[in-house]
Each structure stands twice: as C-alpha cells, then as structure tokens.
Amino acid sequence: MRSVRIGVDTGGTFTDVVAVDEESGELFTTKTPSTPADPADGFLAGVGKLGPLDVTGIVHGTTVATNRLLEDRIGDLGFITTEGFEFVLEIARQSVPDGYGNSYFWVKPPRIVPVHLVKTVGGRLDHTGAEVRPFSEEQAVEVARWFRAKGITAIGVCFLHSYANPSHERRMREILWREHPEAVISLSSDVLREYREYERSVTTLVDAAVKPVMRGYLAGLSTRLGRRFSVMKSNGGILSAREVVNKPITTVLSGPAAGALGAALIASTAGHPSVITLDGGGTSTDVAVVTDGEPSVTTEGSIGRYPVKIPMIDIVTVGAGGGSVAWVSPEGTLKVGPRSAGADPGPLCYGRGGTEVTVTDAHVFLGRIPPHLLGGEIPLDADAARAGIQALAGKLGLSPERTATGILEISAFNQSNAIRRLTVQRGLDVRDFPLVTFGGSGPLLACRLIDILGLPSVLVPRDPGNVSAFGLLTVDVKNDYVRTYVTRDLSLDAAAAIFGELEQQAGDELGREGFAEPVFQRGADLRYYGQAYEVRVPVPAGEVDDAWRAEVVARFHDAHEKLYGYAYRDDPRHDVEWVNLRVSGIGPISRPVIRRFDKPGEGATSVRQVHFEETRDTPIHQRAALGPGATVQGPAVIEEYGSTIPIHPGFSAKIDEYGNVVITADRQGA
C-alpha cells in the first residue's frame, strides 16, 4: 500500500484533493462537489475517492472562517477594552472608502461589536508597559458576570498598550475563566502584539468571532477522520489543527494562499520566477503577485469589511467565479457578480434548482465547456443554460450569443481589474509578468486576459483545478511573532533580547509540532520619523551589533526607494524610526518534486459546435493526449478532468516540458 501525504482544499463549489506518493513522488488528484451545509462531508468524500492508502499526513485549506466573515455571519460578540476607550470601534480611522471622497451618501457600516456589547475595565498602562493605574479587579468581575448573564460567549479583550505589557489582559482572562467558564476568549496580546489600537481591536474581535465555529468544525472533522491533520494559514505556512484553533484568524485566506504558493513553485520550475497567479473558482477569483519565486506578503489585508492586521499572502479577491450570477440592473445594464450561485443550488446547468444565469451557463451555451464536469461525473443541462440565456437576452434586447459573450466579457474585465490592483496601482508593469491561471474556471478566460492586459503569455499547469490542493503539500510549518518597539535610538541589547524572546516562543511552539531544529527568519518594520506607516524589511541573522543595525537601515532605504521612488540615505534631517521587530519560526518539510512530462506525440481530436467570433465546428483536444512540444492553434478547446481551456482564434497553445499549456497571442485584437 502506498504511503502518501494528502492536501484537501475546500472551495465554494468543489473540494479538491491531491495525494503525493512519498517514495515515488507520483501525484494523484480528484475533485468532489463541496457541501456548504457541512464542509466536512465534502472533505471526507474527496479523501474517500482516493481509495485505500497509507496516509502519513493531511493538510487542509479551509474557507470556514473566510466565509463567516465575507457573509457577515457574526453572532453575538462581546468586547472588553480600557475604561474611556469604549468608542474605539466607532471612531475607527475616521476614513471614507475610496470612491466616496467627502460624499454625504456614504453610510458607516455596522461595527463588528455594537456599542451596547462593549464594556470597559479600569486600569492603565503607558506605551512602555509601565502601570499608570492598577487593574480594577472589581470592574473585571462585574463585566464578566454581565456577559455571562447576557449569554455572550465569544469575547475579545484589547486593553490600551497591552502589546507592551500583557499582564492586565491575562488577568482579565483569568477572571473570565472563573466567572464565565463557557466564554471563548481572544486576547489582543496573543493575537497581535503590535501597536495601533483600532486594527488590533478588530483583528482580535475577528479571531474571537470565528473561534467557536472553527473549533467546532476542526474538532468534528478530527473525530470523523480519526486522525490528526494540519491546516493551511494565510501567511504561507501550516500548523496542526490542535494548535490553530487557538488563533483561527490565521486561517482566513488559507485556500487562496495555498494556490499562490503551488502556482509559484510550478512557474519557477518551468523557468518563470516572477508571475501573476489567478485562481478562478466557482465563487470567486483570487489574484497574487509572485516575485523571484515568492508571493508578496502584507499585514495590511482585510476580509470583507474587516481590517485584519496579520501576516498574509497579498491576495486580491473578486466575486468573479464560474457561479457568479448575471443580472440586469435597475438602469437596464448587464451586471455579473459578485453574488454567486455557489455549489447549491449552483448554475442553471447543474439542474439542482438554480434559477439565475451564471458565468458557467454562458460557457455551456457557447460550447466552450463540455456538457459535463469531472470527466462525466457531473452531467450538465445545456438546455437549461440555453433557456436561461435566451430569457436574459430578451430582457436586454440582445441576441443570446451576444448576451453570453457579454457575460464572459464582464467577468474577464472584473478579473483584469483585480490584476491591475496588484500590479499597475503598485507601480508594476503587468506586461512584464506571465499569468499562471488555475482553478476550475481559471483557464476559461485566459485568451481575453492576454488581450485586455497585454500579457506576454498565460501558463496553465497540469490538473489546474487541483493546484491549491497541491500547494498545501509544498508549504512548511510556520508561525509569526511580532513585538512593537518604537524608537529612533535602537538599543542593541533591547533588540537582541526581543528577538531572543520571540525565537524562544517560536521554538517552543514548533517543538510541540515535532521540529527539534526550527529555522528562524527575522524582520523589522521601519519608517522615516514623522511618517504614519512603515516598511517591512528582512533582517540578517547573527549578532545584533552596529554593523547589523547599519545593514538593516540600508535595507530600509533601498526598500523605501523601490516602493516610493525616493529615500533619505544621506539626509540627517530625516531620522529612521524602528517600529516593530518580527520573527517567523519555520519547520521545514520535504516538498514534492515537479517532474518533466515525457508523454510523446499528439492525440486525436473530436469536434463540437463552439461560438467564438462565430459558431462553427471546433477541434476538441484531450489534454492527456498532448505531449511536450505539441501545438494547438485556435479556435480550439483543450479539455481535461477538472478544467477546460478555450483557445480563441488568433491564439495558440504549446505544451512545455513540464506538461504546462502555454498560451500566446498570434496577433493583437483577437
């Protein structure tokens, strides 16, 4: 019996599974419909489809926490903060979203915790952590009993300057445990030991909000699976399920993060270290930028309307998946998304009671995907898709073909706008980056994205629908730790002590994961004195001395110039200010090896009516029959088990030595 490691990525529409043989490196892939009512059902069904195996490890990418936030399904949540700061959530950053300016029409959205569920406790620390006023035990007991009486069990605690001294927060937790044993508690000093009270408060509350559902889901899955497993985190690492339940906020972008990492490894192996990745699923599309083999990382992310200040792979998500609904606005114009039909009931062509036209229905109507999914496992109702497109076309006064093409065109522009947000708006030339597109619906609009953005090429990996699940098998165990230390005159002894404490904490946690010799990566956030935000730079290992400090400052100047076009290297009027010190603890794993594809020759084709510029008989190629060097000229369609690649007229596709399909434009304006 084979010994394998398994990656399971639960998406909004499908659950993807990849297993790697630990001896031969051979990969096995499968997919199964997701089960939104209980994602564990789809997880177990997918693993079961692999058959009897000797499973040595399972890594899971989950959207349970993400969906909870995106759908605003947050139940009663309590917030405890410092006396006098009860309106920190209401004041927020006093900013208005882009697009509104000073408009009177913007309405502040509801806070994550309404004012009547915010309670305060006396006591005060200063920015160094020194106690200004003692912690009020009496008020803490009163608050704990109030939440117990109200039946509020999920509670976030964020006291002023607790990043510098967590003692007040930890005492509050002890009192909550004693007075309100059913409470599920998140402390800001555990979740985000970093300054900026609003972001730290919201991040802590998001953690508290998803903690009950994540604990229940992971505990139930462990019981049904009968074994321990690991969970993908947003920072590009994994952690055992028993540990991740203590800080579930770290999983909010676990699936998309795995996809970006898997695509980065595939692209680098094929000779493309810097690429854009696009993960097109049934519900959404996730875009990331990879530079020199590594996806960019940020701590300024958000999930839905909630700022989440934790390290995460920098991903832009738009509601432009295969299940995105096409609808007519009150002004009579065609819109697509962000609302999705999801897996249940799904598109019209699924035949499960869906009533609205989706992007998938448009592809089916135009013949660009076959009348079935997953190699015939899921038959599609082409007649239902046709009837839906025709009805929508009647409302718009267009032909059915123009309506379906318009749906796909809008979806392509939605995806291209997400790509521009991560490239053009950040000073990167999108024309310098090949696009790696994957996911079940990712390759469907590849040719249009080449035209819209001027991309040099699009690379579609083997088994594109399973790249995120494959990515789960390529990542190390990883934990991130941060400590705020704001100073213009860095004490080398203090910095060394902070790094030592963070590395000790990282080593202890990785030791519990079975890593006796973890790897540590240091970082620091710096800024010019007077700036409001900082730039993160990697920090060299070794002794913290004057040469070390000079090297870090030089890296900051270089990074600032690269980001903003200027730096103050030799200007004594602009001091450099240190803000945060960081440590990432890494437990390395062995990654699967991507082998060259040695299948020779081209396979036979079939023919189907497909509409591009016109409806005509179009060659249909089975990807499994295309070997390295094979070329497919558009118009054509390349089909495989989990995805489909339409090759438009004026485009060609070539199979590279690793089995990737590389699409290029033969002419402009196709």
Side-chain angles (χ1 to χ4, degrees):
M1 185 179 294
R2 291 189 174 98
S3 294
V4 300
R5 291 174 59 235
I6 298 177
V8 183
D9 177 49
T10 299
T13 304
F14 287 103
T15 294
D16 307 325
V17 183
V18 171
V20 58
D21 188 308
E22 294 198 300
E23 291 186 9
S24 68
E26 185 180 0
L27 294 174
F28 310 90
T29 64
T30 189
K31 297 169 76 77
T32 191
S34 293
T35 51
D38 185 355
D41 291 339
F43 180 109
L44 295 168
V47 173
K49 288 178 71 173
L50 293 174
L53 295 167
D54 177 18
V55 180
T56 60
I58 297 178
V59 184
H60 183 26
T62 173
T63 58
V64 170
T66 313
N67 293 341
R68 196 85 175 177
L69 300 172
L70 291 176
E71 297 168 17
D72 259 345
R73 290 188 292 115
I74 293 178
D76 287 340
L77 181 63
F79 181 39
I80 303 173
T81 190
T82 301
E83 188 175 45
F85 286 81
E86 59 267 33
F87 297 111
V88 64
L89 300 178
E90 295 297 320
I91 296 171
R93 284 294 167 198
Q94 300 182 333
S95 59
V96 175
D98 291 343
Y100 285 93
N102 292 321
S103 172
Y104 292 105
F105 298 102
W106 180 67
V107 177
K108 182 186 290 187
R111 304 295 92 183
I112 187 171
V113 177
V115 172
H116 70 277
L117 294 180
V118 177
K119 290 295 178 182
T120 64
V121 174
R124 187 69 177 270
L125 304 169
D126 68 15
H127 71 284
T128 68
E131 188 173 81
V132 177
R133 289 199 304 272
F135 180 69
S136 175
E137 301 263 343
E138 291 183 3
Q139 284 183 275
V141 170
E142 182 181 340
V143 164
R145 291 175 178 174
W146 187 89
F147 279 120
R148 184 185 64 190
K150 292 291 184 182
I152 307 296
T153 56
I155 300 171
V157 181
C158 182
F159 290 148
L160 194 66
H161 300 308
S162 57
Y163 58 84
N165 181 353
S167 61
H168 285 187
E169 286 193 352
R170 290 174 181 173
R171 182 59 186 142
M172 185 71 238
R173 178 170 58 190
E174 291 170 1
I175 292 171
L176 281 167
W177 280 342
R178 187 187 70 209
E179 301 291 338
H180 189 7
E182 295 181 358
V184 176
I185 307 160
S186 292
L187 302 185
S188 75
S189 52
D190 290 340
V191 175
L192 182 67
R193 199 164 172 180
E194 184 177 336
Y195 89 138
R196 291 198 173 98
E197 304 308 314
Y198 172 66
E199 287 81 3
R200 186 157 52 90
S201 296
V202 175
T203 302
T204 302
L205 289 166
V206 167
D207 186 74
V210 301
K211 190 171 285 184
V213 68
M214 281 295 291
R215 282 186 174 179
Y217 170 65
L218 294 177
L221 186 55
S222 295
T223 300
R224 295 176 63 181
L225 196 60
R227 61 175 300 118
R228 286 153 48 173
F229 61 97
S230 300
V231 179
M232 180 74 196
K233 303 202 304 181
S234 309
N235 67 353
I238 60 173
L239 195 63
S240 67
R242 71 176 184 274
E243 293 287 341
V244 84
V245 294
N246 297 318
K247 199 188 293 186
I249 191 174
T250 58
T251 70
V252 290
L253 285 177
S254 68
L261 289 162
L265 178 60
I266 292 168
S268 296
T269 303
H272 308 285
S274 297
V275 296
I276 301 164
T277 69
L278 185 147
D279 181 359
T283 304
S284 62
T285 293
D286 305 304
V287 178
V289 173
V290 175
T291 305
D292 296 329
E294 295 292 335
S296 57
V297 176
T298 183
T299 56
E300 304 296 331
S302 62
I303 306 297
R305 59 187 178 90
Y306 306 112
V308 178
K309 196 173 171 61
I310 59 170
M312 60 176 67
I313 290 178
D314 196 1
I315 293 171
V316 169
T317 299
V318 293
S324 294
V325 172
W327 52 286
V328 180
S329 73
E331 297 78 25
T333 57
L334 178 63
K335 305 282 187 179
V336 179
R339 189 164 51 85
S340 173
D344 187 13
L348 292 171
C349 58
Y350 278 22
R352 297 178 183 167
T355 59
E356 297 176 292
V357 173
T358 67
V359 171
T360 297
D361 294 313
H363 282 294
V364 170
F365 174 78
L366 295 173
R368 297 185 189 178
I369 61 177
H372 55 75
L373 298 177
L374 306 189
E377 291 182 31
I378 302 177
L380 299 179
D381 188 345
D383 291 336
R386 182 180 302 107
I389 294 289
Q390 290 172 342
L392 184 61
K395 294 178 183 178
L396 295 167
L398 300 173
S399 70
E401 288 78 14
R402 288 197 65 187
T403 299
T405 302
I407 291 170
L408 302 187
E409 193 73 357
I410 293 170
S411 186
F413 271 90
N414 288 340
Q415 292 184 358
S416 68
N417 288 338
I419 293 172
R420 287 191 177 103
R421 284 172 58 187
L422 277 178
T423 53
V424 176
Q425 292 185 15
R426 303 189 184 185
L428 300 175
D429 191 338
V430 67
R431 295 169 297 183
D432 294 337
F433 292 82
L435 177 69
V436 182
T437 183
F438 55 96
S441 69
L444 289 167
L445 298 172
C447 293
R448 288 301 301 133
L449 291 175
I450 289 176
D451 265 348
I452 294 168
L453 295 169
L455 299 168
S457 62
V458 170
L459 183 148
V460 184
R462 282 187 280 171
D463 298 311
N466 294 75
V467 168
S468 290
F470 168 76
L472 293 168
L473 302 176
T474 70
V475 296
D476 300 317
V477 175
K478 184 179 180 183
N479 286 322
D480 295 304
Y481 306 87
V482 61
R483 188 75 52 83
T484 291
Y485 179 47
V486 182
T487 180
R488 282 178 284 166
D489 184 17
L490 182 75
S491 164
L492 297 177
D493 290 340
I498 291 172
F499 279 127
E501 290 176 20
L502 296 178
E503 288 173 357
Q504 179 66 45
Q505 187 179 357
D508 290 344
E509 292 205 17
L510 287 170
R512 293 197 294 270
E513 296 287 302
F515 293 95
E517 298 181 1
V519 176
F520 301 118
Q521 292 180 346
R522 294 175 175 178
D525 301 345
L526 297 89
R527 64 189 178 193
Y528 293 117
Y529 180 65
Q531 288 182 325
Y533 290 91
E534 48 278 349
V535 175
R536 181 187 300 183
V537 295
V539 168
E543 185 178 356
V544 179
D545 54 17
D546 289 329
W548 175 92
R549 176 169 48 196
E551 172 64 20
V552 176
V553 171
R555 292 184 182 187
F556 163 69
H557 290 311
D558 292 342
H560 196 283
E561 186 169 33
K562 183 177 180 180
L563 281 170
Y564 302 112
Y566 70 94
Y568 296 118
R569 285 185 183 82
D570 303 313
D571 191 337
R573 296 173 300 173
H574 295 277
D575 291 339
V576 173
E577 187 171 47
W578 299 69
V579 179
N580 298 310
L581 303 180
R582 300 178 180 273
V583 166
S584 293
I586 299 171
I589 66 159
S590 57
R591 291 175 171 80
V593 176
I594 300 175
R595 290 178 166 78
R596 285 179 168 79
F597 195 55
D598 57 4
K599 187 162 187 170
E602 295 188 26
T605 62
S606 58
V607 174
R608 183 173 70 237
Q609 289 268 303
V610 180
H611 183 92
F612 288 110
E613 296 168 347
E614 60 181 355
T615 302
R616 55 184 285 187
D617 286 341
T618 302
I620 309 298
H621 300 263
Q622 296 305 310
R623 184 168 180 175
L626 298 174
T631 300
V632 174
Q633 196 71 38
V637 176
I638 301 174
E639 295 179 358
E640 58 183 305
Y641 173 77
S643 191
T644 303
I645 313 171
I647 309 298
H648 290 231
F651 291 81
S652 59
K654 186 174 182 179
I655 312 300
D656 72 9
E657 59 182 327
Y658 293 96
N660 303 304
V661 175
V662 181
I663 306 169
T664 54
D666 299 330
R667 60 179 174 82
Q668 296 299 315

